[in-house]
Amino acid sequence: KDGAAPSSAATTEARDRLGYEAVKWLLHRFQDWLMATFDAAMRWRGLLLFIIDGTTLKTPDSPANRDHFGLPGTSRGGRAAFPQMRVLFLVSAKLRFIIRAWFAPYRQSEVGLAMTILNEVPAKSLLLLDRAYLAWWLLWNIQKNGSHFLVRVKRRIRRRRVYKIGSNDWIVRVKIPRALRRMHPELPLSLELRELATRIKGRWYHYFTSLTDPAKYPAADLVKLYHDRWEVETGFDEIKTHQAGLSTVN
């Protein structure tokens, strides 16, 4: 009434009275407004440029949270002191806006969670992915949904180089494991991808992408673009250090 900012306790109590669905509706409206207002600024060569990555957040210690989210294990055995949730973010690589966020119990893997949310990723997007997301079922579905990916390659990934299209730039074919195709019969026998390689401080880095046109998407530009993936780490720091007290969400 006097114009003073409400206390954190008052904000929490008001949110509890209002309910979760109203806050969720307001957040989605705001995210949609960001997409409409800053569409051009979030694009790279006509594609919406996003990062998909995940992290964990502590929750208040309660029987309900322990039961739903679970307690992660520790390196010394036993369990952690607080329940933790798994969080997956869809982040604008250009503006660091969080366009979507999904929450799940700690036991849910990031890749498994990513597979459940692809229908909410806007079409004609380019997703920058850490090598932990190098999962054939996920990458195939990204293309199936009309988007593209740029992902770091894990060591010892088997692929056959079909032909060379430039310096350290190839079209490769990756055979899909038979066990995975039994789980997902719609998968093809193999995927044809583009492999890029670059040497940074004496170390070789390799990337797979579905953007196979070297004239439209030059290799050097894609390798440089991948560094934008680190913007999500800055976003995690902003949330955990500056917005969520002690990284605990209520």
Side-chain angles (χ1 to χ4, degrees), residues 10-246:
T11 301
T12 301
E13 291 173 3
R15 184 179 61 192
D16 290 341
R17 290 195 301 270
L18 188 61
Y20 170 77
E21 288 299 328
V23 176
K24 180 180 177 181
W25 177 86
L26 184 62
L27 177 61
H28 282 180
R29 286 290 300 272
F30 177 63
Q31 290 168 329
D32 291 342
W33 177 83
L34 289 176
M35 285 288 298
T37 305
F38 298 97
D39 179 271
M42 291 192 289
R43 290 183 181 270
W44 176 83
R45 296 179 183 262
L47 299 170
L48 286 165
L49 187 62
F50 292 121
I51 307 161
I52 285 184
D53 205 358
T55 186
T56 59
L57 294 171
K58 295 194 295 288
T59 71
D61 191 8
S62 69
N65 283 343
R66 285 180 173 233
D67 181 62
H68 181 73
F69 293 111
L71 296 171
T74 66
S75 59
R76 297 182 180 180
R79 294 290 174 179
F82 286 85
Q84 290 190 22
M85 66 167 65
R86 185 80 62 187
V87 187
L88 192 71
F89 291 119
L90 179 70
V91 180
S92 165
K94 293 293 186 182
L95 303 178
R96 211 186 302 147
F97 292 151
I98 297 177
I99 300 302
R100 287 288 184 267
W102 300 271
F103 305 90
Y106 179 84
R107 58 185 172 271
Q108 174 75 60
S109 71
E110 289 183 24
V111 173
L113 186 55
M115 290 178 179
T116 67
I117 57 86
L118 285 182
N119 288 336
E120 296 188 52
V121 175
K124 297 183 180 179
S125 297
L126 172 56
L127 303 178
L128 305 181
L129 304 170
D130 182 66
R131 56 187 171 180
Y133 293 85
L134 186 60
W136 308 126
W137 173 236
L138 174 64
L139 300 183
W140 183 76
N141 271 284
I142 290 173
Q143 294 184 82
K144 182 183 175 183
N145 288 359
S147 290
H148 294 277
F149 58 82
L150 177 61
V151 59
R152 265 192 70 188
V153 178
K154 298 177 183 178
R155 292 182 179 181
R156 300 177 183 149
I157 291 292
R158 293 184 178 181
R159 66 271 201 188
R160 183 172 66 85
R161 288 175 176 168
V162 181
Y163 59 90
K164 190 172 184 177
I165 57 177
S167 177
N168 299 318
D169 192 354
W170 305 268
I171 296 298
V172 301
R173 186 167 290 121
V174 180
K175 186 177 180 180
I176 304 298
R178 187 177 301 173
L180 184 60
R181 286 193 288 109
R182 281 199 296 265
M183 295 172 59
H184 306 287
E186 60 271 41
L187 278 171
L189 294 176
S190 62
L191 292 179
E192 191 166 280
L193 308 170
R194 183 180 177 191
E195 180 182 359
L196 311 170
T198 187
R199 194 172 185 177
I200 303 174
K201 296 182 178 179
R203 181 179 176 185
W204 282 99
Y205 293 83
H206 294 254
Y207 310 88
F208 282 158
T209 182
S210 53
L211 298 172
T212 56
D213 186 343
K216 191 173 183 180
Y217 308 106
D221 291 354
L222 286 169
V223 169
K224 184 179 179 180
L225 184 70
Y226 188 79
H227 289 277
D228 288 351
R229 198 200 70 79
W230 291 99
E231 289 296 324
V232 74
E233 304 296 339
T234 304
F236 290 162
D237 172 74
E238 290 170 344
I239 292 171
K240 291 187 172 185
T241 305
H242 306 289
Q243 297 181 30
L246 300 177

